Amino acid sequence: SPGATATGAGDIDPAAIPPLDIVIHDLRISEAALGRLELRSRPGGGGLQVETLQVRAPEQTVDVQGAWTGRGDTARTRMQVAIQSRDFGALASGFGFGARLRGGHGTARFEAEWPGSPAGFRLGELEGSLALHVEEGQLVEVEPGAGRFLGLLSVAELPRRLMLDFRDFFSRGFAFNRVDGTVRFEDGEARSESLVIDGAAAEIHIGGSADLRAQTYDQVIEVQPRTGGLLTAVGALTAGPVGAAVGAVANAMLEKPLGRMGARTYHVTGPWKDPKVVVEGREPAQPEAPPAPVPAD
């Protein structure tokens, strides 16, 4: 296959690779310190079977199982990855994705297969799913075009766009209680299913797809502000008694306008590097004041 030729692994017979038993006590990839790695594999099923691939560190655990079968045009890789982390923001930053997420603890499960060897991974050829459950983190303000992070969700583009409509409580990032949902990979597309970002200031629902080959978006994002949640949102950004006091004042000042604010629906289209965001839903028009009564003669 083209991917196998590019990686030089097309002629390797995975069934001929002897059993592996590898231990690395301090694994580091880029800036990410992943901790202790243990790998055990064996030949079987027409290829190489990964019995155990574990990574253990104080802040996260990673467990991988999978198989590499066939050779040349028939080569195929199957993988299941389970990640549990106390700080997804630090983990993502360590892999070079920048400070787009701060904090966040929870789990991620990735199940996928693709043609070719493990080294022949191609985003546009994935078949599988990514399930996320992350709690207590923050989406931070990012530079334009950062939506290409993972190449499948325009979540990273949200703070920049939302500041235009909800500047009072999105200007320094969006603190969330929970990010939950699943992304399906099929036919060169990544489609989000019931992806929810649940925050004190608003609840955000994301649906639609991203074309992994053309690297374009076609997604709909609905933002439902919460009229009484600003105190918690501000407190998450400025922790402690001072933050609580600032939040209380801001809550009192903005209670009236936030109470009138309706949901927004955004349509995100175009290339990952420069997506177009169009506001499709706006707050309902305020009712007109009744006409003044005509004084009697």
mmCIF file of all heavy atoms in Angstrom, residues 45-98:
data_model
loop_
_atom_site.group_PDB
_atom_site.id
_atom_site.type_symbol
_atom_site.label_atom_id
_atom_site.label_comp_id
_atom_site.label_asym_id
_atom_site.label_seq_id
_atom_site.Cartn_x
_atom_site.Cartn_y
_atom_site.Cartn_z
ATOM 1 N N GLY A 45 -2.215 -15.397 14.754
ATOM 2 C CA GLY A 45 -3.315 -14.857 13.961
ATOM 3 C C GLY A 45 -2.874 -14.270 12.642
ATOM 4 O O GLY A 45 -3.501 -13.325 12.141
ATOM 5 N N GLY A 46 -1.794 -14.770 12.081
ATOM 6 C CA GLY A 46 -1.316 -14.261 10.806
ATOM 7 C C GLY A 46 -0.559 -12.957 10.918
ATOM 8 O O GLY A 46 -0.379 -12.248 9.924
ATOM 9 N N GLY A 47 -0.085 -12.621 12.138
ATOM 10 C CA GLY A 47 0.640 -11.370 12.292
ATOM 11 C C GLY A 47 1.246 -11.242 13.669
ATOM 12 O O GLY A 47 1.614 -12.229 14.305
ATOM 13 N N LEU A 48 1.333 -10.004 14.133
ATOM 14 C CA LEU A 48 1.891 -9.690 15.443
ATOM 15 C C LEU A 48 0.764 -9.263 16.367
ATOM 16 O O LEU A 48 0.009 -8.336 16.064
ATOM 17 C CB LEU A 48 2.914 -8.556 15.308
ATOM 18 C CG LEU A 48 3.527 -8.022 16.607
ATOM 19 C CD1 LEU A 48 4.464 -9.058 17.212
ATOM 20 C CD2 LEU A 48 4.260 -6.718 16.350
ATOM 21 N N GLN A 49 0.652 -9.941 17.513
ATOM 22 C CA GLN A 49 -0.382 -9.624 18.490
ATOM 23 C C GLN A 49 0.257 -8.892 19.683
ATOM 24 O O GLN A 49 1.229 -9.383 20.255
ATOM 25 C CB GLN A 49 -1.065 -10.905 18.995
ATOM 26 C CG GLN A 49 -1.661 -11.770 17.899
ATOM 27 C CD GLN A 49 -2.875 -11.126 17.255
ATOM 28 O OE1 GLN A 49 -3.680 -10.475 17.931
ATOM 29 N NE2 GLN A 49 -3.020 -11.316 15.954
ATOM 30 N N VAL A 50 -0.274 -7.737 20.014
ATOM 31 C CA VAL A 50 0.192 -6.994 21.184
ATOM 32 C C VAL A 50 -0.641 -7.449 22.373
ATOM 33 O O VAL A 50 -1.817 -7.123 22.485
ATOM 34 C CB VAL A 50 0.060 -5.475 20.976
ATOM 35 C CG1 VAL A 50 0.486 -4.732 22.256
ATOM 36 C CG2 VAL A 50 0.901 -5.013 19.794
ATOM 37 N N GLU A 51 -0.032 -8.218 23.261
ATOM 38 C CA GLU A 51 -0.732 -8.701 24.442
ATOM 39 C C GLU A 51 -0.846 -7.613 25.504
ATOM 40 O O GLU A 51 -1.898 -7.436 26.118
ATOM 41 C CB GLU A 51 -0.010 -9.917 25.017
ATOM 42 C CG GLU A 51 -0.072 -11.143 24.126
ATOM 43 C CD GLU A 51 0.561 -12.348 24.797
ATOM 44 O OE1 GLU A 51 1.527 -12.160 25.592
ATOM 45 O OE2 GLU A 51 0.110 -13.468 24.551
ATOM 46 N N THR A 52 0.251 -6.883 25.721
ATOM 47 C CA THR A 52 0.276 -5.831 26.736
ATOM 48 C C THR A 52 1.163 -4.693 26.270
ATOM 49 O O THR A 52 2.299 -4.915 25.847
ATOM 50 C CB THR A 52 0.819 -6.354 28.085
ATOM 51 O OG1 THR A 52 -0.005 -7.409 28.555
ATOM 52 C CG2 THR A 52 0.848 -5.239 29.121
ATOM 53 N N LEU A 53 0.616 -3.490 26.314
ATOM 54 C CA LEU A 53 1.416 -2.284 26.170
ATOM 55 C C LEU A 53 0.865 -1.305 27.210
ATOM 56 O O LEU A 53 -0.230 -0.769 27.040
ATOM 57 C CB LEU A 53 1.336 -1.695 24.763
ATOM 58 C CG LEU A 53 2.448 -0.697 24.378
ATOM 59 C CD1 LEU A 53 2.401 -0.411 22.884
ATOM 60 C CD2 LEU A 53 2.386 0.607 25.160
ATOM 61 N N GLN A 54 1.611 -1.147 28.298
ATOM 62 C CA GLN A 54 1.164 -0.311 29.411
ATOM 63 C C GLN A 54 2.149 0.825 29.632
ATOM 64 O O GLN A 54 3.358 0.633 29.545
ATOM 65 C CB GLN A 54 1.063 -1.124 30.706
ATOM 66 C CG GLN A 54 0.029 -2.226 30.684
ATOM 67 C CD GLN A 54 -0.032 -2.977 32.001
ATOM 68 O OE1 GLN A 54 0.923 -2.928 32.794
ATOM 69 N NE2 GLN A 54 -1.132 -3.649 32.254
ATOM 70 N N VAL A 55 1.585 1.998 29.905
ATOM 71 C CA VAL A 55 2.390 3.142 30.297
ATOM 72 C C VAL A 55 1.833 3.638 31.628
ATOM 73 O O VAL A 55 0.627 3.870 31.758
ATOM 74 C CB VAL A 55 2.340 4.274 29.249
ATOM 75 C CG1 VAL A 55 3.161 5.464 29.720
ATOM 76 C CG2 VAL A 55 2.856 3.777 27.908
ATOM 77 N N ARG A 56 2.712 3.781 32.615
ATOM 78 C CA ARG A 56 2.286 4.163 33.949
ATOM 79 C C ARG A 56 3.084 5.370 34.434
ATOM 80 O O ARG A 56 4.321 5.383 34.379
ATOM 81 C CB ARG A 56 2.472 3.009 34.942
ATOM 82 C CG ARG A 56 1.598 1.802 34.640
ATOM 83 C CD ARG A 56 0.135 2.112 34.895
ATOM 84 N NE ARG A 56 -0.734 0.958 34.707
ATOM 85 C CZ ARG A 56 -1.371 0.674 33.572
ATOM 86 N NH1 ARG A 56 -1.183 1.474 32.518
ATOM 87 N NH2 ARG A 56 -2.156 -0.361 33.478
ATOM 88 N N ALA A 57 2.366 6.403 34.889
ATOM 89 C CA ALA A 57 2.968 7.603 35.461
ATOM 90 C C ALA A 57 2.028 8.126 36.529
ATOM 91 O O ALA A 57 0.850 7.744 36.577
ATOM 92 C CB ALA A 57 3.206 8.656 34.385
ATOM 93 N N PRO A 58 2.514 8.989 37.436
ATOM 94 C CA PRO A 58 1.628 9.491 38.496
ATOM 95 C C PRO A 58 0.373 10.169 37.981
ATOM 96 O O PRO A 58 -0.688 10.076 38.611
ATOM 97 C CB PRO A 58 2.532 10.485 39.253
ATOM 98 C CG PRO A 58 3.922 9.991 39.017
ATOM 99 C CD PRO A 58 3.909 9.440 37.623
ATOM 100 N N GLU A 59 0.444 10.855 36.825
ATOM 101 C CA GLU A 59 -0.695 11.626 36.342
ATOM 102 C C GLU A 59 -1.552 10.893 35.323
ATOM 103 O O GLU A 59 -2.659 11.350 35.027
ATOM 104 C CB GLU A 59 -0.211 12.951 35.719
ATOM 105 C CG GLU A 59 0.421 13.902 36.713
ATOM 106 C CD GLU A 59 -0.564 14.347 37.785
ATOM 107 O OE1 GLU A 59 -1.709 14.680 37.425
ATOM 108 O OE2 GLU A 59 -0.193 14.332 38.975
ATOM 109 N N GLN A 60 -1.073 9.794 34.755
ATOM 110 C CA GLN A 60 -1.879 9.097 33.762
ATOM 111 C C GLN A 60 -1.463 7.644 33.596
ATOM 112 O O GLN A 60 -0.344 7.255 33.931
ATOM 113 C CB GLN A 60 -1.815 9.786 32.404
ATOM 114 C CG GLN A 60 -0.473 9.763 31.730
ATOM 115 C CD GLN A 60 0.295 11.042 31.934
ATOM 116 O OE1 GLN A 60 -0.287 12.102 32.148
ATOM 117 N NE2 GLN A 60 1.601 10.971 31.868
ATOM 118 N N THR A 61 -2.403 6.867 33.058
ATOM 119 C CA THR A 61 -2.142 5.486 32.661
ATOM 120 C C THR A 61 -2.626 5.309 31.227
ATOM 121 O O THR A 61 -3.636 5.895 30.817
ATOM 122 C CB THR A 61 -2.858 4.482 33.571
ATOM 123 O OG1 THR A 61 -4.279 4.627 33.414
ATOM 124 C CG2 THR A 61 -2.478 4.695 35.020
ATOM 125 N N VAL A 62 -1.898 4.498 30.468
ATOM 126 C CA VAL A 62 -2.255 4.191 29.084
ATOM 127 C C VAL A 62 -2.177 2.683 28.913
ATOM 128 O O VAL A 62 -1.165 2.063 29.274
ATOM 129 C CB VAL A 62 -1.318 4.890 28.080
ATOM 130 C CG1 VAL A 62 -1.748 4.562 26.649
ATOM 131 C CG2 VAL A 62 -1.293 6.397 28.305
ATOM 132 N N ASP A 63 -3.237 2.084 28.361
ATOM 133 C CA ASP A 63 -3.264 0.653 28.069
ATOM 134 C C ASP A 63 -3.613 0.458 26.606
ATOM 135 O O ASP A 63 -4.621 1.005 26.113
ATOM 136 C CB ASP A 63 -4.298 -0.051 28.949
ATOM 137 C CG ASP A 63 -3.861 -0.093 30.407
ATOM 138 O OD1 ASP A 63 -3.094 -0.991 30.762
ATOM 139 O OD2 ASP A 63 -4.306 0.794 31.172
ATOM 140 N N VAL A 64 -2.795 -0.330 25.905
ATOM 141 C CA VAL A 64 -2.972 -0.547 24.471
ATOM 142 C C VAL A 64 -3.001 -2.039 24.191
ATOM 143 O O VAL A 64 -2.193 -2.806 24.725
ATOM 144 C CB VAL A 64 -1.828 0.105 23.661
ATOM 145 C CG1 VAL A 64 -2.045 -0.125 22.159
ATOM 146 C CG2 VAL A 64 -1.720 1.590 23.978
ATOM 147 N N GLN A 65 -3.931 -2.441 23.347
ATOM 148 C CA GLN A 65 -3.958 -3.793 22.774
ATOM 149 C C GLN A 65 -4.184 -3.657 21.282
ATOM 150 O O GLN A 65 -4.748 -2.655 20.808
ATOM 151 C CB GLN A 65 -5.060 -4.641 23.400
ATOM 152 C CG GLN A 65 -4.815 -5.003 24.863
ATOM 153 C CD GLN A 65 -5.892 -5.904 25.410
ATOM 154 O OE1 GLN A 65 -7.058 -5.772 25.067
ATOM 155 N NE2 GLN A 65 -5.503 -6.833 26.275
ATOM 156 N N GLY A 66 -3.762 -4.672 20.525
ATOM 157 C CA GLY A 66 -3.973 -4.577 19.089
ATOM 158 C C GLY A 66 -3.256 -5.666 18.337
ATOM 159 O O GLY A 66 -2.718 -6.611 18.921
ATOM 160 N N ALA A 67 -3.231 -5.514 17.022
ATOM 161 C CA ALA A 67 -2.609 -6.515 16.155
ATOM 162 C C ALA A 67 -2.187 -5.863 14.850
ATOM 163 O O ALA A 67 -2.823 -4.915 14.374
ATOM 164 C CB ALA A 67 -3.573 -7.662 15.881
ATOM 165 N N TRP A 68 -1.115 -6.401 14.279
ATOM 166 C CA TRP A 68 -0.640 -6.016 12.947
ATOM 167 C C TRP A 68 -0.595 -7.290 12.133
ATOM 168 O O TRP A 68 0.151 -8.215 12.444
ATOM 169 C CB TRP A 68 0.733 -5.355 13.071
ATOM 170 C CG TRP A 68 1.448 -5.120 11.773
ATOM 171 C CD1 TRP A 68 0.923 -5.075 10.517
ATOM 172 C CD2 TRP A 68 2.852 -4.890 11.626
ATOM 173 N NE1 TRP A 68 1.901 -4.835 9.586
ATOM 174 C CE2 TRP A 68 3.099 -4.700 10.244
ATOM 175 C CE3 TRP A 68 3.920 -4.808 12.523
ATOM 176 C CZ2 TRP A 68 4.378 -4.450 9.741
ATOM 177 C CZ3 TRP A 68 5.192 -4.552 12.026
ATOM 178 C CH2 TRP A 68 5.422 -4.380 10.645
ATOM 179 N N THR A 69 -1.423 -7.377 11.094
ATOM 180 C CA THR A 69 -1.536 -8.595 10.305
ATOM 181 C C THR A 69 -1.290 -8.299 8.826
ATOM 182 O O THR A 69 -1.445 -7.169 8.368
ATOM 183 C CB THR A 69 -2.931 -9.224 10.461
ATOM 184 O OG1 THR A 69 -3.929 -8.281 10.055
ATOM 185 C CG2 THR A 69 -3.181 -9.624 11.914
ATOM 186 N N GLY A 70 -0.945 -9.350 8.092
ATOM 187 C CA GLY A 70 -0.740 -9.232 6.653
ATOM 188 C C GLY A 70 0.526 -8.481 6.301
ATOM 189 O O GLY A 70 1.261 -7.991 7.160
ATOM 190 N N ARG A 71 0.787 -8.384 4.994
ATOM 191 C CA ARG A 71 1.955 -7.657 4.513
ATOM 192 C C ARG A 71 1.634 -7.064 3.155
ATOM 193 O O ARG A 71 0.716 -7.506 2.469
ATOM 194 C CB ARG A 71 3.182 -8.578 4.443
ATOM 195 C CG ARG A 71 3.017 -9.778 3.557
ATOM 196 C CD ARG A 71 4.168 -10.757 3.687
ATOM 197 N NE ARG A 71 5.441 -10.141 3.328
ATOM 198 C CZ ARG A 71 6.607 -10.801 3.318
ATOM 199 N NH1 ARG A 71 6.646 -12.090 3.669
ATOM 200 N NH2 ARG A 71 7.720 -10.198 2.969
ATOM 201 N N GLY A 72 2.380 -6.049 2.774
ATOM 202 C CA GLY A 72 2.126 -5.390 1.496
ATOM 203 C C GLY A 72 0.737 -4.783 1.446
ATOM 204 O O GLY A 72 0.297 -4.094 2.368
ATOM 205 N N ASP A 73 0.010 -5.076 0.350
ATOM 206 C CA ASP A 73 -1.324 -4.509 0.164
ATOM 207 C C ASP A 73 -2.355 -5.083 1.117
ATOM 208 O O ASP A 73 -3.445 -4.515 1.255
ATOM 209 C CB ASP A 73 -1.796 -4.740 -1.284
ATOM 210 C CG ASP A 73 -0.982 -3.935 -2.289
ATOM 211 O OD1 ASP A 73 -0.379 -2.928 -1.859
ATOM 212 O OD2 ASP A 73 -0.952 -4.309 -3.469
ATOM 213 N N THR A 74 -2.048 -6.203 1.757
ATOM 214 C CA THR A 74 -3.015 -6.812 2.676
ATOM 215 C C THR A 74 -2.748 -6.454 4.136
ATOM 216 O O THR A 74 -3.463 -6.918 5.015
ATOM 217 C CB THR A 74 -3.008 -8.348 2.527
ATOM 218 O OG1 THR A 74 -1.739 -8.866 2.949
ATOM 219 C CG2 THR A 74 -3.275 -8.756 1.086
ATOM 220 N N ALA A 75 -1.727 -5.653 4.388
ATOM 221 C CA ALA A 75 -1.383 -5.302 5.770
ATOM 222 C C ALA A 75 -2.495 -4.469 6.403
ATOM 223 O O ALA A 75 -3.122 -3.630 5.758
ATOM 224 C CB ALA A 75 -0.066 -4.537 5.805
ATOM 225 N N ARG A 76 -2.727 -4.715 7.679
ATOM 226 C CA ARG A 76 -3.754 -3.973 8.408
ATOM 227 C C ARG A 76 -3.376 -3.920 9.882
ATOM 228 O O ARG A 76 -2.844 -4.883 10.442
ATOM 229 C CB ARG A 76 -5.130 -4.619 8.239
ATOM 230 C CG ARG A 76 -6.278 -3.694 8.637
ATOM 231 C CD ARG A 76 -7.584 -4.126 8.005
ATOM 232 N NE ARG A 76 -8.620 -3.140 8.231
ATOM 233 C CZ ARG A 76 -8.848 -2.094 7.445
ATOM 234 N NH1 ARG A 76 -8.092 -1.895 6.374
ATOM 235 N NH2 ARG A 76 -9.817 -1.240 7.705
ATOM 236 N N THR A 77 -3.685 -2.775 10.504
ATOM 237 C CA THR A 77 -3.399 -2.574 11.919
ATOM 238 C C THR A 77 -4.692 -2.309 12.670
ATOM 239 O O THR A 77 -5.533 -1.538 12.209
ATOM 240 C CB THR A 77 -2.435 -1.388 12.136
ATOM 241 O OG1 THR A 77 -1.196 -1.664 11.479
ATOM 242 C CG2 THR A 77 -2.182 -1.155 13.617
ATOM 243 N N ARG A 78 -4.845 -2.959 13.810
ATOM 244 C CA ARG A 78 -6.004 -2.757 14.691
ATOM 245 C C ARG A 78 -5.503 -2.384 16.071
ATOM 246 O O ARG A 78 -4.548 -2.981 16.573
ATOM 247 C CB ARG A 78 -6.839 -4.039 14.755
ATOM 248 C CG ARG A 78 -8.135 -3.887 15.545
ATOM 249 C CD ARG A 78 -8.910 -5.196 15.608
ATOM 250 N NE ARG A 78 -8.278 -6.178 16.481
ATOM 251 C CZ ARG A 78 -7.587 -7.220 16.067
ATOM 252 N NH1 ARG A 78 -7.422 -7.444 14.774
ATOM 253 N NH2 ARG A 78 -7.055 -8.076 16.932
ATOM 254 N N MET A 79 -6.145 -1.389 16.705
ATOM 255 C CA MET A 79 -5.633 -0.890 17.974
ATOM 256 C C MET A 79 -6.774 -0.428 18.867
ATOM 257 O O MET A 79 -7.758 0.162 18.410
ATOM 258 C CB MET A 79 -4.680 0.287 17.719
ATOM 259 C CG MET A 79 -4.001 0.845 18.946
ATOM 260 S SD MET A 79 -2.814 2.159 18.509
ATOM 261 C CE MET A 79 -1.617 1.204 17.551
ATOM 262 N N GLN A 80 -6.637 -0.724 20.169
ATOM 263 C CA GLN A 80 -7.537 -0.202 21.193
ATOM 264 C C GLN A 80 -6.674 0.472 22.260
ATOM 265 O O GLN A 80 -5.778 -0.159 22.820
ATOM 266 C CB GLN A 80 -8.374 -1.305 21.833
ATOM 267 C CG GLN A 80 -9.255 -2.092 20.861
ATOM 268 C CD GLN A 80 -8.531 -3.280 20.270
ATOM 269 O OE1 GLN A 80 -7.771 -3.961 20.953
ATOM 270 N NE2 GLN A 80 -8.758 -3.543 18.998
ATOM 271 N N VAL A 81 -6.970 1.755 22.526
ATOM 272 C CA VAL A 81 -6.186 2.543 23.474
ATOM 273 C C VAL A 81 -7.119 3.098 24.543
ATOM 274 O O VAL A 81 -8.154 3.689 24.219
ATOM 275 C CB VAL A 81 -5.451 3.706 22.773
ATOM 276 C CG1 VAL A 81 -4.592 4.465 23.782
ATOM 277 C CG2 VAL A 81 -4.605 3.196 21.621
ATOM 278 N N ALA A 82 -6.763 2.905 25.805
ATOM 279 C CA ALA A 82 -7.520 3.466 26.926
ATOM 280 C C ALA A 82 -6.586 4.359 27.736
ATOM 281 O O ALA A 82 -5.540 3.909 28.202
ATOM 282 C CB ALA A 82 -8.086 2.363 27.813
ATOM 283 N N ILE A 83 -6.962 5.641 27.876
ATOM 284 C CA ILE A 83 -6.153 6.612 28.603
ATOM 285 C C ILE A 83 -6.946 7.125 29.797
ATOM 286 O O ILE A 83 -8.115 7.501 29.658
ATOM 287 C CB ILE A 83 -5.757 7.807 27.709
ATOM 288 C CG1 ILE A 83 -4.988 7.321 26.481
ATOM 289 C CG2 ILE A 83 -4.921 8.821 28.501
ATOM 290 C CD1 ILE A 83 -4.701 8.419 25.484
ATOM 291 N N GLN A 84 -6.309 7.146 30.935
ATOM 292 C CA GLN A 84 -6.883 7.767 32.127
ATOM 293 C C GLN A 84 -5.869 8.783 32.633
ATOM 294 O O GLN A 84 -4.720 8.437 32.905
ATOM 295 C CB GLN A 84 -7.188 6.730 33.203
ATOM 296 C CG GLN A 84 -7.896 7.319 34.418
ATOM 297 C CD GLN A 84 -8.459 6.232 35.328
ATOM 298 O OE1 GLN A 84 -8.411 5.055 35.025
ATOM 299 N NE2 GLN A 84 -9.000 6.645 36.460
ATOM 300 N N SER A 85 -6.298 10.053 32.740
ATOM 301 C CA SER A 85 -5.361 11.115 33.084
ATOM 302 C C SER A 85 -5.948 12.040 34.133
ATOM 303 O O SER A 85 -7.153 12.306 34.148
ATOM 304 C CB SER A 85 -4.997 11.928 31.833
ATOM 305 O OG SER A 85 -4.133 13.000 32.162
ATOM 306 N N ARG A 86 -5.075 12.542 34.985
ATOM 307 C CA ARG A 86 -5.476 13.558 35.958
ATOM 308 C C ARG A 86 -5.287 14.968 35.410
ATOM 309 O O ARG A 86 -5.717 15.935 36.041
ATOM 310 C CB ARG A 86 -4.654 13.400 37.242
ATOM 311 C CG ARG A 86 -4.890 12.083 37.970
ATOM 312 C CD ARG A 86 -4.025 12.019 39.222
ATOM 313 N NE ARG A 86 -4.185 10.743 39.912
ATOM 314 C CZ ARG A 86 -3.507 10.397 41.007
ATOM 315 N NH1 ARG A 86 -2.638 11.251 41.532
ATOM 316 N NH2 ARG A 86 -3.701 9.224 41.574
ATOM 317 N N ASP A 87 -4.610 15.103 34.255
ATOM 318 C CA ASP A 87 -4.355 16.422 33.679
ATOM 319 C C ASP A 87 -4.176 16.277 32.172
ATOM 320 O O ASP A 87 -3.065 16.163 31.669
ATOM 321 C CB ASP A 87 -3.114 17.051 34.310
ATOM 322 C CG ASP A 87 -2.951 18.519 33.966
ATOM 323 O OD1 ASP A 87 -3.545 18.964 32.966
ATOM 324 O OD2 ASP A 87 -2.228 19.230 34.693
ATOM 325 N N PHE A 88 -5.297 16.284 31.439
ATOM 326 C CA PHE A 88 -5.235 16.146 29.987
ATOM 327 C C PHE A 88 -4.563 17.350 29.343
ATOM 328 O O PHE A 88 -3.937 17.239 28.290
ATOM 329 C CB PHE A 88 -6.639 15.957 29.407
ATOM 330 C CG PHE A 88 -7.078 14.525 29.351
ATOM 331 C CD1 PHE A 88 -7.945 14.011 30.297
ATOM 332 C CD2 PHE A 88 -6.624 13.683 28.349
ATOM 333 C CE1 PHE A 88 -8.354 12.687 30.243
ATOM 334 C CE2 PHE A 88 -7.017 12.352 28.288
ATOM 335 C CZ PHE A 88 -7.890 11.854 29.236
ATOM 336 N N GLY A 89 -4.691 18.529 29.963
ATOM 337 C CA GLY A 89 -4.050 19.712 29.414
ATOM 338 C C GLY A 89 -2.541 19.570 29.376
ATOM 339 O O GLY A 89 -1.899 19.867 28.369
ATOM 340 N N ALA A 90 -1.946 19.101 30.471
ATOM 341 C CA ALA A 90 -0.502 18.905 30.515
ATOM 342 C C ALA A 90 -0.069 17.809 29.544
ATOM 343 O O ALA A 90 0.970 17.923 28.888
ATOM 344 C CB ALA A 90 -0.066 18.552 31.936
ATOM 345 N N LEU A 91 -0.866 16.762 29.425
ATOM 346 C CA LEU A 91 -0.531 15.668 28.509
ATOM 347 C C LEU A 91 -0.536 16.152 27.064
ATOM 348 O O LEU A 91 0.390 15.877 26.296
ATOM 349 C CB LEU A 91 -1.526 14.517 28.689
ATOM 350 C CG LEU A 91 -1.288 13.262 27.843
ATOM 351 C CD1 LEU A 91 0.057 12.638 28.173
ATOM 352 C CD2 LEU A 91 -2.418 12.253 28.059
ATOM 353 N N ALA A 92 -1.580 16.911 26.667
ATOM 354 C CA ALA A 92 -1.663 17.432 25.303
ATOM 355 C C ALA A 92 -0.534 18.416 25.026
ATOM 356 O O ALA A 92 0.076 18.407 23.954
ATOM 357 C CB ALA A 92 -3.016 18.103 25.086
ATOM 358 N N SER A 93 -0.221 19.273 25.999
ATOM 359 C CA SER A 93 0.866 20.228 25.822
ATOM 360 C C SER A 93 2.202 19.525 25.637
ATOM 361 O O SER A 93 3.040 19.948 24.840
ATOM 362 C CB SER A 93 0.918 21.171 27.023
ATOM 363 O OG SER A 93 1.962 22.105 26.890
ATOM 364 N N GLY A 94 2.411 18.433 26.362
ATOM 365 C CA GLY A 94 3.650 17.684 26.241
ATOM 366 C C GLY A 94 3.859 17.090 24.870
ATOM 367 O O GLY A 94 4.990 16.901 24.424
ATOM 368 N N PHE A 95 2.755 16.808 24.165
ATOM 369 C CA PHE A 95 2.847 16.273 22.811
ATOM 370 C C PHE A 95 2.893 17.374 21.756
ATOM 371 O O PHE A 95 2.797 17.103 20.568
ATOM 372 C CB PHE A 95 1.684 15.326 22.525
ATOM 373 C CG PHE A 95 1.886 13.940 23.073
ATOM 374 C CD1 PHE A 95 1.176 13.505 24.176
ATOM 375 C CD2 PHE A 95 2.802 13.096 22.491
ATOM 376 C CE1 PHE A 95 1.361 12.228 24.687
ATOM 377 C CE2 PHE A 95 3.004 11.814 22.987
ATOM 378 C CZ PHE A 95 2.287 11.376 24.099
ATOM 379 N N GLY A 96 3.021 18.617 22.183
ATOM 380 C CA GLY A 96 3.208 19.707 21.238
ATOM 381 C C GLY A 96 1.945 20.359 20.744
ATOM 382 O O GLY A 96 1.972 21.094 19.747
ATOM 383 N N PHE A 97 0.798 20.153 21.416
ATOM 384 C CA PHE A 97 -0.448 20.753 20.975
ATOM 385 C C PHE A 97 -0.698 22.125 21.605
ATOM 386 O O PHE A 97 -1.748 22.718 21.404
ATOM 387 C CB PHE A 97 -1.633 19.821 21.284
ATOM 388 C CG PHE A 97 -1.628 18.575 20.458
ATOM 389 C CD1 PHE A 97 -1.526 17.329 21.079
ATOM 390 C CD2 PHE A 97 -1.704 18.621 19.089
ATOM 391 C CE1 PHE A 97 -1.522 16.164 20.331
ATOM 392 C CE2 PHE A 97 -1.694 17.461 18.328
ATOM 393 C CZ PHE A 97 -1.606 16.233 18.947
ATOM 394 N N GLY A 98 0.260 22.627 22.381
ATOM 395 C CA GLY A 98 0.130 23.965 22.935
ATOM 396 C C GLY A 98 -0.855 24.037 24.079
ATOM 397 O O GLY A 98 -1.484 23.056 24.456
#
